Amino acid sequence: MTISLGEPMDALQTLLNDAPERIDRAMTIAELDALENDLVGRTSPIASARRMLGQIKDGAERGATGKRINDIATQIQAMIDARRSDVETAEESERLVNDAVDVTLPGRRPRRGTHHLIQSTIDEIVDIFVGLGYTVATGPEAETEFYNFTALNIPRTHPSRAESDTLYLDYGDEEDEILLRTHTSPMQARYMEQHDPPTYVVVPGRVFRADAIDATHSPVFSQLEGLAVDEGITLGDLKGTLASFAKQFFGSDTQVKFIPHYFPFTEPSAEMHAYTDGRWIELLGCGMVNPAVFEHVGYDPERYTGFAFGMGMERMAMVRHGIADLRTLLDADRRVLEQYR
Amino acid sequence: MKLTRSWIDDFVSVPTDDPIELLEAFESLGHEIEAWHPIKAAFRGVVVGKVLEVAPHPDADKVRVTQVDVGSETLEIICGAWNFEAGAVVPVAVPGAVLGEDFEITRREIRGVVSNGMICSEIELGLGDEADGIMVLNDDYPASADAIGDDFAEFMGLPDVFYEVNVTPNRPDCLSVYGLCRDLAALYQIPIRDQNISVDASGEPNDVEVSIEIPELCGRFAGRRVRGITVGPSPHWIRWRLTQAGVRPISNVVDASNYAMIEFGYPTHAFDVDRLGNTISVRLASEGESIVTLDDQERTLTAADLVVTDGSQPVAIGGVMGGASTEVHDGTTDVFIEAAYWDPATILVSSKRLDLRSEASKRFERGADPSFCPKGADRVAQLLTDIAGGIPAPGPVDVNPADVQPWTIAYPLSETERILGVALDAETTTDLLNRMSFTVSGTDPLTVTVPTRRPDVQRPVDLVEEIARLHGFADIPDTVPSGPGGGLPYEEQRLRRIREVMVGAGYYQMMTFSFIGDADLDKLALPEGHVARSGIAVVNPLNETEGVMRTTLLPGMLKAAASALGRGVAESRLFEIGKVFLSSGAKLPDQPDRLGFILAGSVAPTWDAPSSEFTVYDATGTWEVLSTALSIPDASVRQASAPVFHPGRCAEVLIGDVVVGTVGEVHPSVARSFGLDGRVVAGEIDLAELLIDRGPWQYHPPSIFPPAIFDMAFVVDSVVPGASVVGAASVSDLIEKSEIFDVFEGESIGSGKKSIAIRFTLRAMDRTLTDQEVAPIRKQIAEAVAASVGGELRGEL
């Protein structure tokens, strides 16, 4: 006997017809889950109809009916899925609305300190000279009188050796007293003693003078020394190098001028001035290495020439960053240090 | 060196009136201008007038009525001064003139007579201190007779310009107006007027005799006798110029000497011959010999000081200061003017030791021009004739054992290009050197003769300097040589990395002075004999609190943190990298680089986290970050007890077996002594081991297999370090990571005990670990911890 699924199929058709409205009424995923169970779940009319399919003996009819059931199931499932997606989106939106915060509250900052301005000034200037093929050396801050003065052609009677200018240490022998270096220049002699030319080196470091603290003086400050010795080094090289440095450090439109000066360890000597903020300011001292210094370190002054320069890091930083008072740079106040970026 | 534009105009006609242009001219010569300002007349509308008549006031006896010719008219002016009569040439403020800022002169009636202006005194015109009487120009300014009616400011050379020139120590020849004018003449290629030193030697012959016992220290002693002097004030033009040059006018004799020194650069000294006698002898002082100097101080001399004597007793410290016994006084009529050449080094040492550095000693110590001695004395004699009625004796005295002559230098032309980078031919070079008063002969090498006033020019390179100055630095083309490279040495790279790590860890770099005081070491409560106690003293410290070189960075950091907190900064996170100074057996002290850091105050609360205090773990954590970033493979931390630090919260940090530093919480009493409350965390690490080149770090590929992760907790005695438990648990190469995640003490554990929970991550490179592999390792861990530190496993294995 052939049985048809007329009645159950009618019920499925009704299910399909009613499905859109029922599905649209589901406002939450939970409701939708329950509805899905009712419509296409194991106890749904669709499942019942599928179970009864086997009773249809006629293969063609069974196939057609089966396909019909699947069609309906697929359509309903598609409607549920679509609704599910909508409900999920709506639910997520609502969740996110509830999750909103005041983004203007302070952020969680990973901690970061700062390099001291003098340090970053040194680093930057060192990098400029490294770019020009120089290397870097450092030397002792407690230095001998010989390296600080004598090797630099500074006569025994020179006023800078006096205790009013130089800080001496209670250490070592009387013959060659130990002092706090008054400039980074002693490393000129030390470096040349240990290295043969060509010599291209910068020496950053701390130096000391018997000066009371005021807006422009400090007993402790930092210098950077430069030395270039080779065959054929000229005053033109000195000028070109330092002009290039000034443009790199202060800006490409920086004008500089060199005016003659005097230092015992260079000849000719000069001061480099730069034009900034509408005026010329003195930046550094420089000159061609005095042959007497070469003689002290065993370089042949007939064969080699060289230039040297020394600049105050505090001055460089103050000029560039608009700091009027040197004492600012001695301040460990966080409000000052935070500005050193 | 202070001078005025008008004084420069005495000798050279500089082709500019712009003060800035002249300033730049000086600078291009190497004479930096320390300061400059216009000198403006402190008056307007004052003219040169001539007093025609002086009559009594009909109704007042303190003042007189004068008729004054002011060029365009004759004015009736009432004057209260009595230091003039008819014929006097005087400055007259005519009606409408303004004195000072805003004192306008008007016609005004004085007891029935109208005064049409005012005859002025120095002080009223801002031209000096003289307030007793009006300025009478006839004697001081003879040219005034031909200037009746002229503007008085213009007559006085106002406005003028003041310059203070910073003459470098190598140029003693420029410590004078004339010397600087020589340089200007060379620069502008303009003539310089003669010095015009001449003496009307119409007096009686001189009978003062000079001898030198030490010709090597006093190479020349010249002089001129001048009689008939009347000591009194100098004429206004001398006083005015000296005042502008920063020298206080004293009397005509002293002023003449000072004026001549500023004008031509040679220091002289005048002896009162009536007090001196007729013998002058120069010798070294004997040890302990004494002299009362011009400033009425008794000075005790040494055998290194030079003295001028009257044959036996010192009458002056040679080149430094005259003596009181032969000082010129109000009644002096007869003087001997000394112009001597002294050994520069001896003068420097002497004047410094005696603390008597003066304009004269400055010139001698840098090197005066021995050739100028007789002229130096004669210029003073000439001035004394002009301003003090002096009558010079014939024949200068000139004892000249050194007889310094110009010297020559052979100058190869190639030196110019070798040093300056610009080639100059023989003609150009000769021209430049001629302009600087060097005489030149020959072609290449040039034979250059150097005048005796230029002791700084001895070698070819000294001539290069002269050539560079006159040729102009600006005209030397710029070139930029490149070095052979070399870059940042490894140590510098490491130092940068260390600083970067500290900054990245939230620390702010600071720089403190390298000095500390004994009080700082006391505050640290360092025990006797501690290495940081024996700081090296500064011989001449700036003050007591900075008398010792720092042996540790800690005081500087503690003080900085305290100062910051005192100013309301809630938390300080500071670090410093710098040298400390320790005695060594070597010539120089040991000067190792140290890293110091400090955390003080408390971590400020935020809206989502409460305030918290810093603890020792911030210090050890800093070390962990630092040693990791520096890829130091065997860095560790161990419990320690050290001065300065909290006895129970202090750690030594190690690389391998080497202790490289101490970190932890500062002992509360030490912190308090620096004014810091609460927990203060600090550390000091020696950088030498951190800067060692350990080669590049090597890559370890991570396993692609999943890990086995499990936790184990052990009960150990409270004193057992956590690190020992973790160390004991390192039983297998499969342990990728083991980290303590919980520490617990409480009654449930038992007193004197603590529970340490460790999370283990195990992983193999080549497979997923199975339970069968992991289980024996858990067992091994439990056994090893039990055996090594007595740890008892909590819960089931």
Side-chain angles (χ1 to χ4, degrees), chain A residues 9-317:
Chain A
M9 287 308 289
D10 287 348
L12 287 195
Q13 187 58 52
T14 307
L15 194 72
L16 179 62
N17 292 345
D18 293 348
E21 198 192 326
R22 292 178 66 187
I23 289 170
D24 277 352
R25 276 206 303 273
M27 300 310 290
T28 68
I29 294 294
E31 284 173 31
L32 200 57
D33 285 345
L35 188 58
E36 184 173 13
N37 197 46
D38 289 351
L39 295 176
V40 295
R42 253 182 265 173
T43 57
S44 66
I46 287 177
S48 315
R50 281 198 177 115
R51 278 193 296 276
M52 283 189 285
L53 256 184
Q55 296 172 20
I56 301 173
K57 297 298 178 206
D58 180 282
E61 192 185 341
R62 191 171 63 234
T65 305
K67 186 173 180 302
R68 176 73 185 135
I69 294 170
N70 282 346
D71 274 355
I72 291 170
T74 304
Q75 284 182 56
I76 292 174
Q77 188 65 51
M79 282 186 272
I80 291 169
D81 289 350
R83 179 64 186 164
R84 180 179 296 277
S85 170
D86 288 349
V87 171
E88 273 175 355
T89 304
E91 281 196 355
E92 170 120 306
S93 296
E94 193 184 339
R95 222 173 26 247
L96 293 184
V97 165
N98 293 334
D99 205 28
V101 296
D102 175 2
V103 298
T104 65
L105 293 176
R108 275 192 198 145
R109 279 159 280 189
R111 294 208 176 271
R112 182 167 176 84
T114 55
H115 295 273
H116 195 278
L117 178 58
I118 294 306
Q119 185 70 60
S120 51
T121 302
I122 289 172
D123 287 353
E124 229 179 293
I125 295 176
V126 160
D127 287 347
I128 288 171
F129 284 98
V130 165
L132 290 171
Y134 290 60
T135 188
V136 184
T138 55
E141 292 171 8
E143 182 55 281
T144 65
E145 198 177 0
F146 175 81
Y147 282 109
N148 197 73
F149 292 123
T150 311
L152 295 168
N153 196 39
I154 299 171
R156 282 227 167 269
T157 50
H158 197 273
S160 65
R161 295 198 190 217
E163 284 191 8
S164 55
D165 287 30
T166 299
L167 295 168
Y168 286 86
L169 297 184
D170 182 12
Y171 192 84
D173 57 58
E174 290 277 299
E175 279 298 290
D176 186 13
E177 289 197 67
I178 305 302
L179 46 74
L180 293 173
R181 65 176 175 189
T182 59
H183 46 187
T184 40
S185 310
M187 271 306 285
Q188 281 189 31
R190 284 188 181 275
Y191 194 85
M192 284 191 279
E193 279 180 348
Q194 287 157 16
H195 299 82
D196 290 329
T199 302
Y200 291 75
V201 64
V202 288
V203 183
R206 193 168 253 220
V207 301
F208 305 81
R209 303 269 169 92
D211 284 332
I213 303 174
D214 65 21
T216 54
H217 295 86
S218 165
V220 182
F221 57 103
S222 297
Q223 275 191 345
L224 182 129
E225 188 84 4
L227 178 70
V229 181
D230 205 344
E231 290 181 38
I233 292 285
T234 68
L235 186 71
D237 293 331
L238 164 66
K239 285 177 60 203
T241 299
L242 290 176
S244 163
F245 152 72
K247 285 182 183 353
Q248 290 186 62
F249 189 70
F250 289 105
S252 56
D253 55 351
T254 305
Q255 274 179 275
V256 297
K257 69 177 180 185
F258 292 82
I259 66 170
H261 200 69
Y262 169 75
F263 303 108
F265 36 98
T266 51
E267 186 165 16
S269 304
E271 273 179 349
M272 184 171 83
H273 293 218
Y275 194 75
T276 171
D277 280 344
R279 68 203 168 105
W280 287 101
I281 52 149
E282 179 192 327
L283 274 191
L284 55 85
C286 56
M288 299 300 292
V289 177
N290 194 311
V293 174
F294 284 150
E295 280 158 20
H296 269 294
V297 300
Y299 277 21
D300 179 2
E302 301 290 320
R303 181 170 170 198
Y304 296 107
T305 52
F307 64 77
F309 56 87
M311 56 179 113
M313 295 296 96
E314 284 76 5
R315 185 164 186 80
M316 296 293 145

Side-chain angles (χ1 to χ4, degrees), chain B residues 4 6 38-43 125-127 151-161 236 240 244:
Chain B
T4 56
S6 61
I39 306 168
K40 294 199 182 103
F43 52 85
L125 296 173
L127 291 172
D151 181 75
F152 183 59
E154 206 171 300
F155 177 77
M156 290 298 292
L158 297 173
D160 201 346
V161 185
H236 181 265
W240 177 242
Q244 300 305 324

Side-chain angles (χ1 to χ4, degrees), chain B residues 763-785:
Chain B
R763 205 193 305 250
M765 287 302 295
D766 54 353
R767 63 193 185 280
T768 301
L769 293 175
T770 62
D771 288 348
Q772 286 74 13
E773 281 178 283
V774 172
I777 293 173
R778 284 178 66 102
K779 190 160 176 268
Q780 280 176 46
I781 290 171
E783 286 166 0
V785 171

Side-chain angles (χ1 to χ4, degrees), chain B residues 112-141:
Chain B
V113 180
V114 171
S115 182
N116 296 291
M118 183 172 116
I119 305 177
C120 303
S121 67
E122 279 179 22
I123 201 159
E124 284 159 347
L125 296 173
L127 291 172
D129 298 332
E130 189 56 60
D132 297 341
I134 51 132
M135 275 186 98
V136 179
L137 305 174
N138 306 52
D139 293 342
D140 289 6
Y141 295 97

Side-chain angles (χ1 to χ4, degrees), chain B residues 569-743:
Chain B
V569 177
E571 56 169 283
S572 269
R573 301 166 182 263
L574 301 168
F575 81 101
E576 176 167 23
I577 291 178
K579 290 184 188 302
V580 299
F581 300 81
L582 306 169
S583 293
S584 73
K587 184 170 180 67
L588 287 176
D590 270 342
Q591 301 168 53
D593 288 308
R594 295 261 179 94
L595 163 69
F597 62 87
I598 188 164
L599 301 164
S602 53
V603 182
T606 62
W607 61 271
D608 63 345
S611 172
S612 60
E613 56 184 9
F614 295 109
T615 74
V616 63
Y617 298 112
D618 291 298
T620 51
T622 297
W623 168 246
E624 285 162 23
V625 168
L626 188 62
S627 56
T628 304
L630 293 171
S631 48
I632 293 169
D634 46 359
S636 63
V637 163
R638 75 179 177 213
Q639 197 86 27
S641 171
V644 182
F645 289 94
H646 185 307
R649 292 178 171 230
C650 171
E652 284 173 344
V653 299
L654 300 92
I655 297 177
D657 297 332
V658 182
V659 176
V660 298
T662 310
V663 306
E665 290 174 27
V666 175
H667 196 294
S669 73
V670 171
R672 275 196 303 275
S673 72
F674 283 92
L676 290 164
D677 292 325
R679 294 189 191 273
V680 175
V681 168
E684 185 167 23
I685 296 170
D686 204 282
L687 292 182
E689 285 283 330
L690 279 66
L691 302 182
I692 292 171
D693 187 352
R694 289 161 206 274
W697 58 268
Q698 298 299 311
Y699 176 67
H700 297 292
S703 168
I704 58 169
F705 294 93
I709 297 173
F710 55 86
D711 298 340
M712 295 174 84
F714 301 94
V715 176
V716 292
D717 288 345
S718 292
V719 296
V720 173
S724 303
V725 181
V726 172
S730 303
V731 296
S732 164
D733 291 343
L734 292 173
I735 300 175
E736 184 179 83
K737 190 174 166 192
S738 51
E739 190 157 78
I740 296 171
F741 69 91
D742 188 43
V743 179

